[in-house]
Amino acid sequence: MAAMDNVATLARAAHAAAGKLSGTPGPVRDEALRAMALALREDAAAIFAANAEDVAAARAESLAAPLLSRLSLDEKKLDGLIEGLLALLALPDPVGRETLRTELAPGLVLSRKTCPIGTIGVVFESRPDALVQISSLCLKSGNACLLKGGREALRTNRALFASLSRAAASAGIPDGWAALLESREDVSAMLSLDRDIDLLIPRGSNEFVRRMQESTRIPVMGHSSGICHLYVDASADVAMAVRIAVDAKTQAPATCNSIETLLVHRGIAANFLPALARAMSEKGVELRADAAALPFLPGAAPATEADWDAEYLAPVLAVKTVSSLDEAVAHVNAHGSHHTDAIVARDEAVASRFLSGVDSADAFWNCSTRFADGFRFGLGAEVGISTGKLHARGPVGLEGLTTYRWLLRGTGQTVAPFAEGTMRFTHRPLPPQGAE
Amino acid sequence: MAAMDNVATLARAAHAAAGKLSGTPGPVRDEALRAMALALREDAAAIFAANAEDVAAARAESLAAPLLSRLSLDEKKLDGLIEGLLALLALPDPVGRETLRTELAPGLVLSRKTCPIGTIGVVFESRPDALVQISSLCLKSGNACLLKGGREALRTNRALFASLSRAAASAGIPDGWAALLESREDVSAMLSLDRDIDLLIPRGSNEFVRRMQESTRIPVMGHSSGICHLYVDASADVAMAVRIAVDAKTQAPATCNSIETLLVHRGIAANFLPALARAMSEKGVELRADAAALPFLPGAAPATEADWDAEYLAPVLAVKTVSSLDEAVAHVNAHGSHHTDAIVARDEAVASRFLSGVDSADAFWNCSTRFADGFRFGLGAEVGISTGKLHARGPVGLEGLTTYRWLLRGTGQTVAPFAEGTMRFTHRPLPPQGAE
């Protein structure tokens, strides 16, 4: 219960800080981001020392090589984080933008303005860069945050957090706007704090996200895992299809926007699949194919039904032939995770039917699914990718961390005359003010 | 379990219909709305007969007069519903609007487009007009819907539903896009159908909304009850403040956007409160006031702590004096329901501080809280009012019934060269196309 009390106190403080933070002008928040960038540079030695301890401990526990490389923070990664902070402060303020302005009646003007969500609880993985990216996105968007990182990165996260909070405080950001949680118990404790926490963002497996949704009344934004598809249409440019398939599968196989299943139209299978097999074997990718594809894929294993629902997050690719675009779309909607799905096709009509047919947050044409990323979309990095359909969908950046409120300015209007019909609404749209 | 199976079947059909509906062009959905308006006129006799039975049954159960008047559907109300359908079809199509367009790199263009949410389950009150308004908003926005109305209006709802579905089908809307649920068991059954239902909108008490949120993984949009405030600042025009207070309390006391508590600055209490007392007693409103206000309010009863958190939905008003704007804002945020809160003030600086200080979906200046309504905001009626901060907030109209998806069109781009730094993102904003 210590954790519970502790987290409840941190959440109450964050909620109070959020109230003040929503009123801070954009330049103050940007000044804090600049101070954070400088602080990371000044505290580099301490941060690297802490990270070295984490890495040593992880080695002792013989953590897998890819996880070790994600955990380790070097000069290059720190430079990237500092660049990221400076890029973020260059972006326009997402708070206080007027997105709608309507005259309801003479002297009665309605305005819709963006504002922060409030207090956000984020549970993220072992990559310590995530702490810097998430806390800076929250600050730029005027949100308070409770941050729970991976156990392996605890020392690094403490060093980064100390550096960033000191910098934010020096720039006049209210105390308590960010807090670092350290235990599993802290995460469970957050679930019941729906009076002080407005949104939970768990970055992890579907199971983790679903468990959270089942045990809290707080809205949960699913940074879900992804079963992404690439459909190679009969009209595809074979060389382009191979190049995109290789990138979407191998550029970073452990990421949620990498493809797990490739669908190919029977009309092009004989041309495309042998070229795919050569390219994938060079990259050491294991292929699992249906009966119609196997003959064209030397060395491939037969796929089972389970493969169509598998998220490998590894150099394994399921290959299925289809006899029509509709069959491809139906397969994506039945087996996919509504994350990111792409088509390679020369025929624009076919591509449009695919883009409108798949019920996915991101639908791509003639490019790699790996582009599904907040930085690549130009959103100023991301706190996660939402496969939910409400509020933010797809990569969630600055705008996804804001909501809006309605402001109505009158000159004494009452509803009675409108209800009685002696006055009528004009509903005249006006140009939004101070909008981007 | 019959209900469960039945509802599961209806939900699966609605989900399938939603897939087709999202592809129907706006003109087809508008044609269906026109057919619905004609059908209501043609079937008026049958609808009035069904409503007469409902009203008779309700009288037999001696239902309260205000509820009876909400339940009864006369020529005037039907004309209003038909006008509403025609007004809705005149509004621009909320689906397929491009809200963002960015060049990520040469030949690689990102587009964000609005799309329907999918299948929406709505539980609404005894007012049969709600069935027509909600189903038509869902249709215009391309959503399938499961509708559960009040038990008292069952016969009327069946008649309206039969008329509307026949009309929609005749216009080519896919079967199953709307279904009528009739029992409490049907509502509980919906809660577990998260594969087929994308959103639940319960219209009812806070408790009802909270119970739903606790027992489902489906997102719940809270059409919450409201504890709304009117703050009369020291700089207020007394006559305007009285006029607005009377409208906000008495124009429709049982509605969620009526005020329950009036806050008044001590500096104006002596001038304002006696005028308020006279106006409210003429309207038969009972006043409950704090010690500082009582002397100025002949006939008022002393308020208890409980009054500051009460939602009367009746001609009762709590009155509290405050010594500063900050005290007023703090009271609203501590005791309000983040729904709609208003200030009457001549001093614009004070008004701005109130508007940005209250954490409410709707913040009004010099007008009545009763304007918080989808039709009055020009949103084409409303399915509810959301006091949540995510996705739609405040009155939820057409736009609140859509979400968006990201479309990326390329010419063969892969991520690798961007990751390796041999290519750079341009992130050039382009004018959205086909946007309003």
Side-chain angles (χ1 to χ4, degrees):
Chain A
M1 288 301 84
M4 178 67 210
D5 301 345
N6 176 29
V7 176
T9 313
L10 293 172
R12 206 171 308 112
H15 178 82
K20 299 182 195 133
L21 197 54
S22 68
T24 35
V28 172
R29 281 174 274 125
D30 286 338
E31 189 43 49
L33 292 171
R34 191 177 286 102
M36 287 165 142
L38 295 172
L40 287 184
R41 169 63 58 220
E42 290 166 12
D43 303 334
I47 293 165
F48 290 138
N51 185 247
E53 289 183 46
D54 281 333
V55 171
R59 277 224 178 68
E61 296 177 18
S62 56
L63 199 68
L67 292 177
L68 270 178
S69 77
R70 286 164 66 83
L71 174 60
S72 66
L73 189 62
D74 57 13
E75 279 290 355
K76 184 160 173 298
K77 276 193 193 170
L78 190 71
D79 291 344
L81 288 173
I82 290 169
E83 274 174 39
L85 287 169
L86 300 176
L88 197 55
L89 78 90
L91 290 175
D93 188 354
V95 177
R97 281 197 305 115
E98 190 169 62
T99 54
L100 184 105
R101 188 174 181 85
T102 312
E103 179 199 82
L104 301 190
L108 187 63
V109 174
L110 178 69
S111 152
R112 188 179 64 190
K113 279 196 168 187
T114 60
C115 59
I117 289 169
T119 304
I120 303 176
V122 190
V123 182
F124 52 95
E125 63 281 29
S126 59
R127 212 166 39 84
D129 344 14
L131 184 145
V132 178
Q133 291 163 346
I134 294 166
S135 59
S136 57
L137 280 168
C138 286
L139 181 61
K140 174 91 182 187
S141 54
N143 290 290
C145 53
L146 302 174
L147 307 160
K148 166 66 171 65
R151 190 179 51 76
E152 313 76 10
L154 184 55
R155 300 175 187 82
T156 315
N157 286 337
R158 283 178 180 166
L160 289 169
F161 183 78
S163 181
L164 296 178
S165 356
R166 184 172 52 75
S170 74
I173 298 302
D175 287 343
W177 76 274
L180 186 63
L181 308 187
E182 303 198 335
S183 73
R184 282 235 177 72
E185 294 63 39
D186 289 344
V187 174
S188 342
M190 280 201 293
L191 302 179
S192 62
L193 304 174
D194 59 302
R195 283 189 64 89
D196 289 324
I197 302 177
D198 298 290
L199 173 65
L200 291 173
I201 305 180
R203 310 195 355 164
S205 66
N206 279 317
E207 291 62 28
F208 181 53
V209 173
R210 285 176 81 88
R211 246 184 293 119
M212 272 224 175
Q213 289 169 320
E214 278 161 359
S215 38
T216 182
R217 207 187 297 113
I218 303 170
V220 173
M221 191 177 281
H223 171 229
S224 156
S225 310
I227 299 179
C228 302
H229 298 75
L230 179 67
Y231 168 56
V232 178
D233 182 61
S235 72
D237 171 323
V238 168
M240 179 192 286
V242 171
R243 201 168 66 244
I244 289 175
V246 167
D247 188 78
K249 179 72 247 182
T250 70
Q251 201 269 330
T255 56
C256 61
N257 56 14
S258 299
I259 58 169
E260 307 297 357
T261 299
L262 184 142
L263 302 169
V264 56
H265 192 284
R266 294 223 165 80
I268 199 173
N271 292 339
F272 169 70
L273 290 178
L276 178 76
R278 278 191 300 278
M280 287 297 178
S281 71
E282 281 172 21
K283 294 283 190 174
V285 175
E286 171 193 343
L287 299 178
R288 302 184 189 172
D290 68 355
L294 275 174
F296 305 111
L297 297 171
T304 68
E305 275 306 309
D307 284 301
W308 313 135
D309 300 307
E311 183 184 26
Y312 306 115
L313 297 173
V316 180
L317 180 66
V319 179
K320 189 178 197 301
T321 54
V322 295
S323 48
S324 71
L325 169 76
D326 293 342
E327 190 184 340
V329 168
H331 180 97
V332 168
N333 290 337
H335 300 276
S337 56
H338 309 293
H339 187 301
T340 302
D341 299 284
I343 180 175
V344 181
R346 280 205 193 85
D347 183 332
E348 178 158 9
V350 169
S352 306
R353 280 172 54 212
F354 180 89
L355 294 183
S356 62
V358 293
D359 185 16
S360 315
D362 307 317
F364 295 178
W365 176 26
N366 286 347
C367 52
S368 170
T369 55
R370 291 275 300 131
F371 284 107
D373 167 275
F375 164 71
R376 292 171 188 147
F377 274 18
L379 309 179
E382 69 185 31
V383 287
I385 289 188
S386 169
T387 54
K389 288 183 174 184
L390 287 136
H391 192 61
R393 194 176 188 192
V396 180
L398 283 180
E399 195 186 309
L401 288 174
T402 65
T403 176
Y404 57 80
R405 48 212 306 271
W406 299 90
L407 306 175
L408 183 59
R409 296 180 168 83
T411 50
Q413 285 82 352
T414 56
V415 162
F418 293 90
E420 295 150 7
T422 59
M423 283 194 70
R424 303 191 72 78
F425 289 100
T426 57
H427 290 153
R428 185 161 62 92
L430 304 171
Q433 296 183 1
E436 284 180 328
Chain B
M1 290 301 85
M4 178 67 208
D5 301 345
N6 175 30
V7 175
T9 312
L10 293 171
R12 206 170 309 114
H15 177 81
K20 300 182 195 131
L21 197 54
S22 68
T24 32
V28 171
R29 281 173 274 124
D30 286 338
E31 189 43 50
L33 291 172
R34 190 176 288 104
M36 287 166 142
L38 294 172
L40 287 184
R41 169 63 56 222
E42 290 166 13
D43 303 334
I47 293 166
F48 290 139
N51 185 247
E53 289 183 45
D54 281 332
V55 170
R59 277 226 177 70
E61 296 177 17
S62 56
L63 199 67
L67 293 177
L68 271 177
S69 77
R70 285 163 68 82
L71 175 59
S72 65
L73 189 61
D74 56 12
E75 279 289 357
K76 184 161 172 299
K77 275 193 195 172
L78 190 70
D79 291 344
L81 289 173
I82 290 168
E83 273 174 39
L85 287 169
L86 299 176
L88 196 55
L89 79 90
L91 290 175
D93 188 354
V95 177
R97 281 196 306 115
E98 189 169 63
T99 55
L100 184 104
R101 188 176 183 85
T102 311
E103 179 200 81
L104 301 190
L108 186 63
V109 174
L110 178 69
S111 153
R112 188 179 63 191
K113 280 196 166 186
T114 60
C115 58
I117 289 168
T119 304
I120 303 176
V122 189
V123 182
F124 53 96
E125 63 282 29
S126 59
R127 213 165 42 80
D129 344 15
L131 184 144
V132 179
Q133 289 162 348
I134 294 167
S135 59
S136 57
L137 280 168
C138 285
L139 181 62
K140 174 88 179 186
S141 54
N143 290 289
C145 53
L146 302 174
L147 306 160
K148 166 65 171 66
R151 190 179 51 77
E152 312 77 9
L154 184 56
R155 300 174 189 83
T156 316
N157 286 338
R158 283 178 180 166
L160 289 168
F161 183 79
S163 180
L164 296 179
S165 346
R166 185 173 51 76
S170 74
I173 299 301
D175 287 343
W177 76 274
L180 186 63
L181 309 186
E182 303 198 335
S183 72
R184 281 235 177 71
E185 293 63 38
D186 289 344
V187 174
S188 343
M190 281 199 294
L191 302 179
S192 61
L193 303 174
D194 60 301
R195 283 188 64 88
D196 289 323
I197 302 176
D198 297 290
L199 173 66
L200 291 172
I201 305 180
R203 307 191 2 161
S205 67
N206 278 320
E207 293 61 29
F208 180 52
V209 173
R210 286 174 81 89
R211 246 184 294 119
M212 271 226 177
Q213 289 169 321
E214 279 161 359
S215 37
T216 183
R217 208 187 297 115
I218 302 170
V220 174
M221 191 177 279
H223 172 228
S224 156
S225 309
I227 299 177
C228 302
H229 298 76
L230 180 67
Y231 168 55
V232 178
D233 182 60
S235 70
D237 171 322
V238 168
M240 178 193 286
V242 171
R243 202 168 66 244
I244 288 174
V246 168
D247 188 78
K249 180 71 248 184
T250 70
Q251 200 268 329
T255 55
C256 61
N257 56 15
S258 299
I259 58 170
E260 307 297 356
T261 299
L262 183 142
L263 302 169
V264 57
H265 192 286
R266 293 222 165 82
I268 198 173
N271 293 339
F272 169 72
L273 290 177
L276 178 76
R278 278 190 300 278
M280 286 297 177
S281 71
E282 282 173 20
K283 293 285 189 173
V285 175
E286 172 194 343
L287 299 178
R288 302 183 188 172
D290 69 354
L294 275 174
F296 306 112
L297 296 171
T304 66
E305 275 305 309
D307 284 299
W308 312 135
D309 300 308
E311 182 184 25
Y312 306 114
L313 297 173
V316 179
L317 179 66
V319 179
K320 189 179 197 298
T321 54
V322 295
S323 48
S324 70
L325 169 77
D326 293 343
E327 190 184 341
V329 168
H331 181 95
V332 168
N333 289 339
H335 299 276
S337 55
H338 310 293
H339 188 301
T340 302
D341 298 286
I343 179 174
V344 181
R346 279 204 193 84
D347 184 330
E348 177 158 10
V350 169
S352 306
R353 279 172 53 215
F354 180 89
L355 293 183
S356 62
V358 294
D359 185 15
S360 315
D362 307 318
F364 295 177
W365 177 25
N366 287 347
C367 52
S368 170
T369 55
R370 291 275 300 131
F371 283 107
D373 166 276
F375 164 71
R376 291 171 187 147
F377 274 17
L379 309 180
E382 69 185 30
V383 287
I385 289 187
S386 170
T387 55
K389 288 183 173 184
L390 287 138
H391 191 61
R393 195 176 187 194
V396 180
L398 283 182
E399 194 186 310
L401 288 174
T402 66
T403 177
Y404 59 79
R405 49 213 307 270
W406 299 90
L407 307 175
L408 183 58
R409 295 178 168 84
T411 49
Q413 285 82 354
T414 56
V415 162
F418 293 90
E420 293 149 7
T422 58
M423 283 195 70
R424 301 191 73 77
F425 288 100
T426 57
H427 289 154
R428 187 160 62 93
L430 304 172
Q433 296 184 1
E436 285 181 326

